[in-house]
Amino acid sequence: LRARKMEASDKDALLAELQHVLYAGDALRLVAEPLRADKEVVFTAMQHNFNELEYAADSIKADKEFMLVAVHVFGEALAYASEALLADKDVVFAAVSQCGQALRYASETLKADKQVVLAAVQQTAEAFSYAAESLTADKDVVLAAVQQDGYLLPFASEPLRADRDVVLAAVKQNGGAFEFSSET
């Protein structure tokens, strides 16, 4: 694998080697193009390092069925999805449900989708920082975020930083969050 480019006929040998060797992140870069479009080869490589998806064929990155499986296991694999799949609610929802931080890769439309953002924030509060500005004024979303991390209060809209319920939730999570409340 390290010494030469692999040919399509070497698929079985490649799969065996990928299953036994943790490679440093560019095994797919070294294989022939047809193998980069082979779902089994790509998924095997991803089990060692999801960043292998970077070297997969574009057809794999645009394959909704493959990417749904990939993001269920590695939410951050969304980073390598095609533009169309970054705007696909099913794929993005699956990704952020596994890893909230994957919201950063979603289309702007889905960063403004309350259901997607709530799933991301419930998985990890820090995902709130990737939400569309319109959702910083959504009390449900802000509450979900500050209940997990009170220090996210400054990312809320001005009116919600003055909202009793929001400030109380943030302060219950972390007393220091009070300094970010608003007086208005």
Side-chain angles (χ1 to χ4, degrees):
L1 182 60
R2 293 178 188 104
R4 63 184 172 85
K5 280 213 172 240
M6 301 288 291
E7 296 302 322
S9 62
D10 295 329
K11 178 180 173 181
D12 290 337
L14 172 68
L15 286 172
E17 187 166 348
L18 286 175
Q19 290 174 355
H20 292 95
V21 176
L22 289 175
Y23 200 76
D26 64 355
L28 283 181
R29 183 179 58 83
L30 300 174
V31 301
E33 190 62 37
L35 289 172
R36 294 183 202 180
D38 185 291
K39 293 177 185 180
E40 185 180 8
V41 170
V42 173
F43 198 76
T44 299
M46 285 178 56
Q47 288 176 330
H48 297 291
N49 182 346
F50 80 87
N51 288 308
E52 290 285 353
L53 190 53
E54 176 181 358
Y55 303 108
D58 289 343
S59 62
I60 294 280
K61 297 174 188 180
D63 184 307
K64 182 175 179 175
E65 180 184 320
F66 180 87
M67 289 304 297
L68 273 170
V69 171
V71 301
H72 273 293
V73 178
F74 314 101
E76 289 276 339
L78 186 65
Y80 302 109
S82 67
E83 288 296 317
L85 293 183
L86 294 177
D88 183 290
K89 187 171 181 175
D90 295 334
V91 173
V92 172
F93 189 85
V96 302
S97 295
Q98 198 281 327
C99 175
Q101 296 284 359
L103 184 61
R104 77 178 105 203
Y105 306 113
S107 69
E108 293 305 314
T109 300
L110 291 178
K111 288 178 182 178
D113 183 290
K114 183 175 178 175
Q115 183 183 17
V116 169
V117 173
L118 274 173
V121 168
Q122 288 166 350
Q123 205 287 321
T124 181
E126 292 76 18
F128 181 60
S129 65
Y130 300 111
E133 189 173 337
S134 61
L135 291 180
T136 67
D138 185 291
K139 188 171 180 175
D140 295 333
V141 174
V142 172
L143 278 170
V146 300
Q147 285 171 343
Q148 291 184 65
D149 184 349
Y151 279 124
L152 290 172
L153 186 58
F155 294 99
S157 67
E158 183 79 21
L160 287 181
R161 282 184 282 153
D163 182 276
R164 183 183 188 282
D165 297 331
V166 171
V167 172
L168 185 59
V171 171
K172 276 184 179 179
Q173 196 286 319
N174 189 316
F178 185 75
E179 71 180 279
F180 303 113
S181 64
S182 176
E183 295 178 20
T184 58

